[in-house]
Amino acid sequence: QRRAEQRQLLSRLADLAEEEGADLVLLSGDLLDGRQTYRETAQALAQTLGEIPCPVFIAPGNHDPYGPRSPYALLPWPENVHIFQSAALEPIPMPKLGCTLWGAAFTSPSREDSPLSGFSVPAGDGGVHIGVLHADVAGKGRYAPLPEEDIAASGLTYLALGHVHACSGLRRAGDVFWAYPGCPEGRGFDEAGEKGCLIVDVTHQGTTAKFVPLCCREYRTQEVDISTLYQTLTGLEYSDDLVRLTLTGEAETVPSLASIAQQAAPYFFYVEVTDATTLPK
């Protein structure tokens, strides 16, 4: 059921792009998990992106790197979808929008250099320059570490980033705005909270961004004192979320987690129970 809901996410994204009159949709990598991608998932992705009434740009990430055997190379993609294929930045002039889009791809599961190292937009063209990359800002690891100094020196107007699963909000390095939207649908308790995308307005006068929820359900953790557990459960209304109840406080005996989970199950789409209680000394 969760897999089906994740596929429905694509339709919600397409509907939102149409409702907002988006000029571009930027997808900054890890759309697919290259190690266990269902072909029908990639086909559904391609079909739905083709229904978006504007150009769509994909910058493959470390989980879905571009390569000769990747779904990006093996499947037919709609005409409005452009997939970056090289680790080197590729410019896409868009004269009707008065902008140039710059993007690059992971071509293997790791990349140890900064994708903006030594890069600077051409001076004097007067246009807006937007980047879309999968990278790790201020990171030190194997996933395109990107110093903020490189962002500031790039001369981009806005940089759309992927890799971090939590929304960063709109940030700034020098005169360059950048942001991570986070993942649009959580897949576990390590991706808790409201998930969605960013709608960004980029002009010479300034850049603004607003977060729009897209997730069908949230993963969340809720602490419950063991002494008020049953009062808490009887006072609950049904929740469509996936919830981890963490028991706290002092318990007389070790709690029976399976029994408590069974009692809590009717109140949630999914629930699990963990024990953080202490026993009397």
Side-chain angles (χ1 to χ4, degrees):
Q1 183 176 346
R2 290 293 293 142
R3 186 180 298 123
E5 289 173 351
Q6 288 171 344
R7 290 176 183 163
Q8 293 164 10
L9 167 69
L10 302 174
S11 297
R12 296 197 294 276
L13 174 64
D15 292 343
L16 179 64
E18 184 171 6
E19 291 168 7
E20 292 286 337
D23 295 311
L24 306 171
V25 171
L26 307 181
L27 303 174
S28 46
D30 286 359
L31 279 73
L32 305 168
D33 189 333
R35 295 164 297 182
Q36 51 182 2
T37 299
Y38 291 91
R39 183 179 178 86
E40 60 266 33
T41 298
Q43 290 172 330
L45 174 65
Q47 179 180 343
T48 308
L49 295 183
E51 297 169 358
I52 294 178
C54 69
V56 177
F57 295 89
I58 300 174
N62 58 289
H63 283 289
D64 58 351
Y66 186 88
R69 299 190 60 80
S70 72
Y72 293 132
L74 295 176
L75 292 178
W77 292 83
E79 291 185 0
N80 68 314
V81 177
H82 179 90
I83 301 169
F84 293 101
Q85 303 178 14
S86 170
L89 284 162
E90 174 191 354
I92 308 289
M94 309 194 76
K96 290 184 179 180
L97 295 178
C99 79
T100 300
L101 186 73
W102 299 82
F106 269 67
T107 55
S108 70
S110 65
R111 178 175 184 174
E112 297 186 4
D113 65 310
S114 165
L116 289 179
S117 178
F119 171 79
S120 181
V121 301
D125 72 353
V128 167
H129 291 267
I130 299 172
V132 55
L133 292 171
H134 196 83
D136 186 5
V137 173
K140 305 293 183 183
R142 302 167 54 242
Y143 305 116
L146 180 57
E148 288 197 66
E149 293 82 359
D150 285 2
I151 299 176
S154 70
L156 293 167
T157 314
Y158 174 71
L159 177 59
L161 288 167
H163 185 62
V164 174
H165 293 199
C167 181
S168 68
L170 192 62
R171 309 285 289 273
R172 191 168 181 171
D175 293 328
V176 181
F177 289 93
W178 61 272
Y180 287 105
C183 56
E185 182 86 35
R187 298 188 301 170
F189 289 101
D190 58 340
E191 296 175 345
E194 197 168 49
K195 300 297 181 181
C197 66
L198 287 172
I199 297 177
V200 184
D201 186 27
V202 184
T203 69
H204 281 302
Q205 287 69 45
T207 297
T208 60
K210 67 176 180 179
F211 177 82
V212 178
L214 281 178
C215 60
C216 179
R217 309 178 194 276
E218 291 183 35
Y219 286 83
R220 58 186 176 86
T221 298
Q222 181 175 336
E223 291 190 356
V224 180
D225 191 289
I226 190 71
S227 65
T228 62
L229 173 63
Y230 297 106
Q231 297 95 308
T232 300
L233 290 180
T234 54
L236 287 175
E237 295 183 359
Y238 178 77
S239 169
D240 282 325
D241 291 338
L242 301 97
V243 177
R244 175 180 286 163
L245 294 179
T246 300
L247 304 179
T248 62
E250 187 175 285
E252 295 181 3
T253 60
V254 176
S256 172
L257 301 186
S259 174
I260 294 170
Q262 186 176 16
Q263 294 176 64
Y267 299 100
F268 304 98
F269 173 79
Y270 169 83
V271 65
E272 62 183 48
V273 183
T274 62
D275 183 17
T277 61
T278 58
L279 295 174
K281 295 181 179 179

